[in-house]
């Protein structure tokens, strides 16, 4: 879930389009164009490989329209949006983070590319939710980042999978602990999911979550936690009164649904 919290990205091509401003990894690759994004360079449906993920990363540096064309090309190859989200967009976000960490991209370039990547999820949301819709199941879910987080794209993607599975989903990006508490207590929720990117607030959340659960109208509320920390340092998250899940979105949805109380939602 390590993406930037930028909800509205510009649709115009980025001013970083000049090839001499790109990192070496991109300058060595072929430019994004109709041949690569139109579906004619790859024959048949196959897993989206590293070369194609790099093409998406390059397109995100060029602009939102270029990034859309890569996704359209993958769809013409027969890829579902679920495949594209899990095999394309998710590893592309990870790749951009790796390039930034290796100083192949500066902060501005990484932010712009990540912004375009996140906007793709918003652009394709309606189509994704219609791709494999399920009946409403009556369950309600709150998804929250840690207070003051800059990363929300992974959380938004997870919310899309829960919505498609029939959940009613609320997504919150609290700027501080009081707002976190307010969002947690704002409504009845059958489950709450937390995206943890850093260890800055782990001690605070460890003390706060039992209090919030005890003060909730729903004493059977299910709380789970994921995000980068769940993959990189799961032991650090054991202090939380929450189930730690280090899985992709479809598996997370199935795990939570399987362990919800039998008999369906019980709204106060």
């Amino acid at each position: 879930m390590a993406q930037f919290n930028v909800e509205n990205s510009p649709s115009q091509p980025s001013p970083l389009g000049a090839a001499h401003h790109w990192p070496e990894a991109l300058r060595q690759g072929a430019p994004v164009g109709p041949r690569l994004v139109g579906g004619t360079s790859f024959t048949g449906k196959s897993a989206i490989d590293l070369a194609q993920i790099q093409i998406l990363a390059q397109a995100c540096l060029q602009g939102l329209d270029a990034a859309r064309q890569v996704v359209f090309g993958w769809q013409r190859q027969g890829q579902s949006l679920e495949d594209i989200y899990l095999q394309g967009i998710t590893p592309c976000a990870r790749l951009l983070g790796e390039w930034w960490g290796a100083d192949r991209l500066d902060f501005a370039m990484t932010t712009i590319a990540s912004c375009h990547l996140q906007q793709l999820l918003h652009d394709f949301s309606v189509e994704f939710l219609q791709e494999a819709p399920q009946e409403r199941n009556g369950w309600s879910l709150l998804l929250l980042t840690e207070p003051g987080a800059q990363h929300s794209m992974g959380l938004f993607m997870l919310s899309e999978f829960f919505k498609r599975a029939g959940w009613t989903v609320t997504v919150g990006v609290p700027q501080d602990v009081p707002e976190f508490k307010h969002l947690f207590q704002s409504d009845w929720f059958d489950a709450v999911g937390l995206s943890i990117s850093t260890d800055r607030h782990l001690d605070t959340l460890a003390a706060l979550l039992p209090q919030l659960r005890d003060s909730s109208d729903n004493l059977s509320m299910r709380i789970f936690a994921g995000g980068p920390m769940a993959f990189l340092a799961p032991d650090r998250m054991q202090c939380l009164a929450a189930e730690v899940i280090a899985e992709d979105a479809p598996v997370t949805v199935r795990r939570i649904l399987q362990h919800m109380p039998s008999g369906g939602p019980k709204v106060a």
Side-chain angles (χ1 to χ4, degrees):
M1 296 184 182
Q3 289 85 22
F4 287 85
N5 177 22
V6 183
E7 297 296 336
N8 298 303
S9 62
S11 59
Q12 301 93 336
S14 134
L16 301 171
H20 65 277
H21 286 154
W22 293 347
E24 184 65 25
L26 296 185
R27 292 203 302 270
Q28 291 177 351
V32 176
R35 188 181 68 83
L36 287 178
V37 303
T40 58
S41 294
F42 310 104
T43 57
K45 180 183 177 181
S46 60
I48 298 171
D49 59 21
L50 177 59
Q52 296 185 63
I53 293 167
Q54 290 174 331
I55 288 171
L56 177 59
Q58 181 179 342
C60 287
L61 288 166
Q62 289 183 337
L64 182 56
D65 288 341
R68 287 195 188 107
Q69 290 305 312
V70 175
V71 174
F72 291 149
W74 287 344
Q75 288 182 305
R76 286 193 287 271
Q77 295 170 30
Q79 303 289 352
S80 67
L81 281 175
E82 179 169 335
D83 293 336
I84 290 168
Y85 283 13
L86 299 177
Q87 299 175 21
I89 292 179
T90 297
C92 181
R94 191 177 303 119
L95 180 62
L96 290 170
E98 291 173 358
W99 282 348
W100 178 33
D103 290 329
R104 296 182 180 180
L105 295 177
D106 62 25
F107 181 79
M109 295 172 73
T110 307
T111 300
I112 290 172
S114 300
C115 177
H116 291 154
L117 200 59
Q118 178 156 339
Q119 188 61 40
L120 291 176
L121 298 180
H122 291 270
D123 291 350
F124 287 93
S125 175
V126 173
E127 185 177 347
F128 175 79
L129 295 178
Q130 294 175 346
E131 193 173 72
Q134 298 182 28
E135 294 294 327
R136 292 283 183 183
N137 58 28
W139 297 111
S140 62
L141 171 69
L142 173 65
L143 291 175
L144 289 173
T145 64
E146 64 190 282
Q150 292 181 310
H151 313 289
S152 69
M153 193 180 88
L155 199 70
F156 179 81
M157 182 184 292
L158 182 61
S159 76
E160 294 287 274
F161 278 88
F162 270 102
K163 288 176 184 177
R164 199 170 69 165
W167 291 67
T168 298
V169 183
T170 301
V171 178
V173 185
Q175 295 306 300
D176 51 32
V177 172
E179 186 178 1
F180 181 94
K181 294 172 61 177
H182 172 74
L183 290 169
F184 200 105
Q185 299 171 325
S186 62
D187 205 343
W188 168 285
F189 298 106
D190 297 293
V192 176
L194 309 178
S195 175
I196 309 296
S197 300
T198 71
D199 60 0
R200 290 181 304 160
H201 294 287
L202 282 180
D203 292 341
T204 299
L205 293 177
L208 186 60
L209 288 179
Q211 299 174 21
L212 292 173
R213 186 200 295 270
D214 291 344
S215 64
S216 171
D217 291 332
N218 180 11
L219 298 180
S220 63
M221 175 190 292
R222 184 173 179 81
I223 302 177
F224 63 98
M229 286 289 292
F231 290 91
L232 300 175
D235 292 345
R236 291 283 289 113
M237 297 178 62
Q238 295 306 314
C239 63
L240 299 177
E243 178 185 2
V244 178
I245 300 180
E247 303 284 357
D248 64 17
V251 174
T252 298
V253 172
R254 289 196 297 270
R255 282 186 57 175
I256 296 304
L257 187 57
Q258 288 170 359
H259 293 90
M260 294 302 293
S262 60
K266 299 177 177 63
V267 180

